[in-house]
Amino acid sequence: MMATFQQLPRTVLFGLEPADAGDGYMFESVGSYLVRLAYAHRKAPHHFLRHFLNPVLGQGQVSNDLFISYGFSAMNGYRPKAEVYVSALAVFTGQRGVELLSMSPWKTLLDSMGKGLFHSSKKWCPECLYQWRSAGEVLYEPLIWSLQSLEACPIHQCTLKSSCSDCGARQYMVQRVLPVGYCPECGSFLGEPSGEDDRQALSQKELYLLDLVASRHLVIEGVSLQQLLRDGIRVVMSRLGVTSTKKLEQLLSFSKATISQWFSDGKRGTRPTLSTLLNFCVAVQVSPADLLFHHKRIDPDAKIAELDGRQSYDNADKLDWVECQLTKIVNDYSEIISVNQVAGQLKVGVSYLRYHFPEKTAELVAKNNELRAKQRKARNKRKISLVEEACQHLLDGGVFPSHNYVRAALKNELKNFGFGEFTEIWREVTEKL
């Protein structure tokens, strides 16, 4: 018996398995995995990092900026800090493939600085979180939610959210205190059913992003992805009858020397950003997996590339049009619509709206806050009513409405309460009895 135990490997941390909803691209991110691992050891994530992981790795103090500003890059990316965390989690938990929860498989393919790789703040699909909690499944954050090139959920075709529905707060990139799926400002659950009006089909660029992420298992250690990319582009050029990268750039209306630099190993050579690579794939109608790993499948069909960048408005007519549309939105809408969403609809930047139309933008924000306050008040009133009814029902039956009895009575409704919210409401109601 002792020999059996000696043969079993021991790990410093609990061997928590990463979550994965299937489909090849709905796998957990490193940041989400670290948060769940911290809670598996009954520690808040910032305590787990500050008092265990960072001291062990010699990473120094844990700054709030890690959670707020650069958490995606530090956890989900492929730069040195991310490599340290990924390697440590793999060793300490004994779990294989932890590096596949980040963008590290694409380190030799994409821009070394990771420019434009991640969203500037957390985004999530509220319907995914809602369905997972309703089904009693693990709450986690897939890696694809953090990638800047994805704006809609591939499962539910709803726009990814970036702020809490209750308090309007933007979320930490990596949870600092609360578990995955809860707002750190108000404790509310971030999941909710999405309306049918919010559905939108994924763009070809987003579909190609999923294709790239799902093909991470095809990456072979020691094989240069940059060289595979060059070989794939050569096949594209050959089948399009293009004799040089300069002519390919002209055919696709790509920026001058962009594709040419992907072929250079000198100081002027660069690797593509994720967005630029996907734009190229869309322009030649070749999936990233085929471009890298299945060259025999490549059958390009060139068109003008849709490069990143917003439409500019440089004359009075267009400025007036934006003002007219913004005024109409502010006056007519009856549901919450963020400044970011309005800017996206009008094809301008948020700073553009705030600079040219500060009063209308402020009015929009004020109306959103007013609508959120009404929603919170209505939800809170309903929750108080549920607890009061449950307490009264127990009292009528001669049973004192203790915390556990009331929880049991509201078992089917508890999923609608925020983190710690039920206890607070129960305490207020019972004090009045």
Side-chain angles (χ1 to χ4, degrees), residues 253-268:
S253 293
F254 246 74
S255 300
K256 185 178 180 181
T258 299
I259 301 174
S260 302
Q261 288 182 15
W262 299 350
F263 281 78
S264 174
D265 290 320
K267 291 183 178 180
R268 292 181 61 82

Side-chain angles (χ1 to χ4, degrees), residues 12-54:
V12 176
L13 299 174
F14 174 61
L16 184 70
E17 291 188 8
D20 190 343
D23 298 314
Y25 46 77
M26 288 294 288
F27 54 88
E28 187 167 23
S29 67
V30 173
S32 170
Y33 181 72
L34 185 140
V35 172
R36 292 201 306 115
L37 185 63
Y39 269 91
H41 291 84
R42 299 183 179 180
K43 298 290 184 182
H46 75 104
H47 284 151
F48 181 71
L49 282 166
R50 180 172 290 118
H51 300 299
F52 171 71
L53 201 54
N54 269 32

Side-chain angles (χ1 to χ4, degrees), residues 53 177 209 303 347:
L53 201 54
V177 177
L209 171 66
K303 66 176 185 178
K347 303 298 182 183

Side-chain angles (χ1 to χ4, degrees), residues 120-132:
S120 59
S121 64
K122 181 179 294 183
K123 291 199 174 188
W124 67 95
C125 170
E127 193 157 344
C128 281
L129 292 177
Y130 178 81
Q131 289 187 357
W132 291 338

Side-chain angles (χ1 to χ4, degrees), residues 61-326:
Q61 298 296 319
V62 178
S63 167
N64 279 341
D65 289 341
L66 172 67
F67 304 97
I68 299 171
S69 304
Y70 63 90
F72 287 156
S73 177
M75 299 291 176
N76 300 347
Y78 46 69
R79 302 196 68 201
K81 196 174 189 69
E83 289 184 336
V84 170
Y85 281 126
V86 167
S87 299
L89 290 174
V91 172
F92 291 163
T93 63
Q95 291 294 311
R96 296 181 178 178
V98 175
E99 70 279 359
L100 297 180
L101 307 182
S102 70
M103 290 298 289
S104 60
W106 312 110
K107 179 181 178 180
T108 62
L109 173 68
L110 302 176
D111 171 73
S112 60
M113 299 300 292
K115 290 186 294 186
L117 190 58
F118 299 110
H119 288 298
S120 59
S121 64
K122 181 179 294 183
K123 291 199 174 188
W124 67 95
C125 170
E127 193 157 344
C128 281
L129 292 177
Y130 178 81
Q131 289 187 357
W132 291 338
R133 191 170 81 160
S134 298
E137 298 175 1
V138 172
L139 296 182
Y140 73 98
E141 295 163 359
L143 174 67
I144 57 172
W145 288 358
S146 66
L147 299 179
Q148 185 172 303
S149 296
L150 187 76
E151 293 292 341
C153 173
I155 306 299
H156 301 103
Q157 285 77 51
C158 60
T159 304
L160 299 179
K161 294 194 65 174
S162 59
S163 59
C164 174
S165 297
D166 281 349
C167 67
R170 295 175 73 84
Q171 306 298 298
Y172 292 160
M173 291 183 174
V174 178
Q175 289 286 64
R176 185 176 181 274
V177 177
L178 297 185
V180 170
Y182 292 90
C183 174
E185 295 296 326
C186 67
S188 298
F189 180 54
L190 297 176
E192 59 183 346
S194 298
E196 292 298 325
D197 295 339
D198 192 33
R199 309 295 182 188
Q200 65 176 49
L202 266 66
S203 67
Q204 187 63 57
K205 183 176 180 178
E206 290 174 311
L207 293 173
Y208 278 164
L209 171 66
L210 301 181
D211 176 80
L212 177 69
V213 171
S215 65
R216 71 196 193 283
H217 293 292
L218 299 176
V219 178
I220 300 175
E221 187 175 356
V223 175
S224 171
L225 292 178
Q226 187 176 21
Q227 187 57 48
L228 290 179
L229 174 64
R230 293 170 179 173
D231 293 342
I233 294 176
R234 288 190 182 99
V235 175
V236 170
M237 292 168 58
S238 174
R239 295 183 179 172
L240 288 175
V242 177
T243 57
S244 69
T245 54
K246 181 178 180 179
K247 291 183 178 179
L248 180 61
E249 289 162 353
Q250 293 173 346
L251 177 65
L252 305 178
S253 293
F254 246 74
S255 300
K256 185 178 180 181
T258 299
I259 301 174
S260 302
Q261 288 182 15
W262 299 350
F263 281 78
S264 174
D265 290 320
K267 291 183 178 180
R268 292 181 61 82
T270 60
R271 295 200 295 266
T273 63
L274 176 60
S275 181
T276 306
L277 175 62
L278 295 174
N279 287 335
F280 174 81
C281 290
V282 172
V284 297
Q285 293 294 289
V286 175
S287 73
D290 288 350
L291 187 65
L292 294 171
F293 307 115
H294 308 295
H295 294 167
K296 292 182 179 180
R297 299 182 189 172
I298 293 177
D299 184 18
D301 182 13
K303 66 176 185 178
I304 301 299
E306 296 180 6
L307 302 179
D308 296 331
R310 294 187 180 276
Q311 184 176 354
S312 61
Y313 293 89
D314 51 7
N315 60 52
D317 291 340
K318 292 182 179 179
L319 187 68
D320 291 342
W321 180 85
V322 174
E323 182 177 17
C324 179
Q325 295 300 313
L326 177 61

